[in-house]
Amino acid sequence: MSIVSLHSFHTKYFADSVEWCLHPEHGQIFACGTYQLDDSTSEVVRRKGSILIFSFSLNGTDSDLQLLHETETDGILDQKWLKNLDIPLLATATSSGNIELFSWQDSQLGCITSHRIDAEVQDNIALSLDWNSQNKQILVSDSKGYISLLDLANNSTINLINRWKAHSFEAWTCSFYKNKPDIVLTGGDDSFCRIYDLRDTTKEQITIKSHEAGVTSFLTFEKYPDIFCTGSYDDHLRVFDMRSPKNPLTRINLSGGIWRLKSNPHEEELILCACMYQNFTICRFSYDEASPELKIEATFNGDHKSICYGADWNPDKSPNGQYIFGCCSFYDNLLTVNSYHK
């Protein structure tokens, strides 16, 4: 098992997000998001950023990476592509507290609409988002600890459905639960993981208190509908059973704090982890009801010398038993595309 770096690219601003397009006809493209404080003026703190759209192609042993488009934006904290649409749609969570919706057409990224999550608070940052592709809903977490549920109408307008306070400090992450459309997960800097039923968000259904630092990422599975994973600043990847979630079934220390978890689209048990102050790690989850297990299969630093933030798998199946993934690190402005061979 090995990881080989195929291509690298230095971004203009600090790189923190990689998201591969999920549209069936555009699996070769992905977005890299950036975020950087603008210190050119002392009067108003502005967080600037950009969205870069790349194309990656693989032909036998040869591969190619091309920058197709770059758009200047506010700082990008998170971004996600919507599945199963006529055209690819990308939603971004920004430092100005906006959710912005972009379309990718004719090799151009165009902004369709924007929604401010909190019109009354100027310094509220949208920290993470997740799509419910079936219902075309967007879940958003923010720096004031709130969760917003948004609706995408006619692929062009974003409307607020509900908004509630979930965490005492930053709500670092939120996620719809696969196969359970009314259930959402939220994680905060207060070290709590909370589970809500969207049919009644006046109180959390379950609060998990077994993390030792902020909860930063979630992962749920198609194959294992009762199982979910969490990443945390406390360095641990944990596996929980929704039927009895008070304590994890198993956990593994990956070091460095975990910011992103991504399941391989062709092999869900392979989990790509962005471990901020350590490396990018690929873990394998083996599910046995009596003895579930997590183990490290490979680690990767390559030329990455800074905070490991963004990571995602290429959804297209690659030949020769290899998987392609992109990842990026922050202060060194570095994006790489890499091959993992089992």
Side-chain angles (χ1 to χ4, degrees):
M1 295 175 284
S2 64
I3 297 174
V4 176
S5 183
L6 302 176
H7 297 278
S8 63
F9 184 94
H10 285 274
T11 60
K12 180 180 177 181
Y13 303 137
F14 302 151
D16 66 354
S17 173
V18 174
E19 293 289 332
W20 226 288
C21 185
L22 300 174
H23 192 283
E25 297 178 5
H26 295 273
Q28 78 281 6
I29 68 168
F30 66 90
C32 176
T34 69
Y35 171 99
Q36 190 164 327
L37 285 176
D38 185 352
D39 55 6
S40 61
T41 174
S42 59
E43 295 179 4
V44 179
V45 175
R46 178 177 178 265
R47 299 169 176 89
K48 58 188 177 181
S50 63
I51 305 168
L52 298 89
I53 303 295
F54 291 90
S55 174
F56 172 80
S57 60
L58 182 65
N59 184 10
T61 58
D62 297 326
S63 63
D64 183 55
L65 179 69
Q66 296 289 333
L67 175 64
L68 302 180
H69 181 89
E70 184 171 3
T71 294
E72 293 274 331
T73 62
D74 292 323
I76 300 295
L77 279 298
D78 195 13
Q79 53 186 347
K80 294 288 192 307
W81 296 90
L82 178 60
K83 292 181 182 179
N84 303 324
L85 274 180
D86 293 336
I87 58 172
L89 292 182
L90 177 70
T92 63
T94 74
S95 58
S96 58
N98 289 333
I99 297 301
E100 297 186 340
L101 185 66
F102 295 85
S103 65
W104 176 251
Q105 286 183 289
D106 302 323
S107 298
Q108 294 292 316
L109 194 69
C111 186
I112 298 173
T113 189
S114 178
H115 174 84
R116 190 170 185 83
I117 56 173
D118 189 349
E120 298 181 359
V121 179
Q122 295 301 311
D123 63 344
N124 197 358
I125 299 173
L127 294 176
S128 77
L129 65 87
D130 193 25
W131 277 105
N132 180 330
S133 295
Q134 183 177 357
N135 297 332
K136 294 185 181 178
Q137 293 179 339
I138 305 172
L139 196 68
V140 184
S141 69
D142 65 45
S143 59
K144 301 300 182 182
Y146 281 83
I147 304 297
S148 300
L149 180 64
L150 310 175
D151 174 70
L152 177 61
N154 301 318
N155 297 338
S156 61
T157 304
I158 297 174
N159 300 309
L160 177 66
I161 300 174
N162 196 4
R163 179 171 164 81
W164 69 94
K165 181 77 168 179
H167 296 277
S168 302
F169 305 107
E170 291 92 341
W172 290 120
T173 188
C174 59
S175 176
F176 289 103
Y177 200 103
K178 289 180 182 175
N179 300 318
K180 299 177 188 289
D182 293 315
I183 302 301
V184 299
L185 305 168
T186 73
D189 204 50
D190 52 13
S191 304
F192 295 153
C193 164
R194 291 202 157 114
I195 303 172
Y196 289 89
D197 190 320
L198 292 176
R199 292 165 293 190
D200 180 9
T201 58
T202 57
K203 61 179 181 179
E204 69 273 11
Q205 184 179 10
I206 298 169
T207 297
I208 300 172
K209 301 180 180 181
S210 53
H211 299 83
E212 298 170 14
V215 179
T216 53
S217 51
F218 292 116
L219 186 63
T220 62
F221 300 90
E222 298 279 357
K223 191 173 180 180
Y224 308 109
D226 294 310
I227 301 300
F228 67 96
C229 297
T230 65
S232 171
Y233 282 136
D234 68 11
D235 300 349
H236 284 84
L237 170 62
R238 291 174 171 83
V239 177
F240 292 88
D241 190 321
M242 179 64 79
R243 295 165 295 186
S244 181
K246 183 177 180 181
N247 294 303
L249 299 176
T250 187
R251 68 178 190 169
I252 187 172
N253 190 328
L254 300 183
S255 302
I258 301 167
W259 186 249
R260 279 286 180 271
L261 298 174
K262 292 296 182 75
S263 183
N264 187 286
H266 304 288
E267 195 172 347
E268 277 195 300
E269 293 83 357
L270 278 182
I271 303 172
L272 175 61
C273 312
C275 306
M276 293 182 287
Y277 300 104
Q278 181 73 5
N279 54 31
F280 297 97
T281 297
I282 295 175
C283 289
R284 179 172 292 278
F285 170 52
S286 300
Y287 182 63
D288 181 300
E289 198 160 337
S291 181
E293 183 183 13
L294 288 166
K295 66 177 182 178
I296 296 173
E297 292 223 333
T299 61
F300 173 72
N301 282 104
D303 293 327
H304 292 277
K305 307 298 182 186
S306 184
I307 305 172
C308 301
Y309 267 145
D312 197 18
W313 297 100
N314 183 342
D316 288 345
K317 198 157 190 176
S318 301
N320 306 321
Q322 63 179 317
Y323 294 124
I324 303 297
F325 69 92
C327 58
C328 66
S329 48
F330 200 60
Y331 292 116
D332 53 0
N333 303 55
L334 184 62
L335 163 77
T336 63
V337 177
N338 318 283
S339 174
Y340 168 62
H341 296 260
K342 292 191 291 179

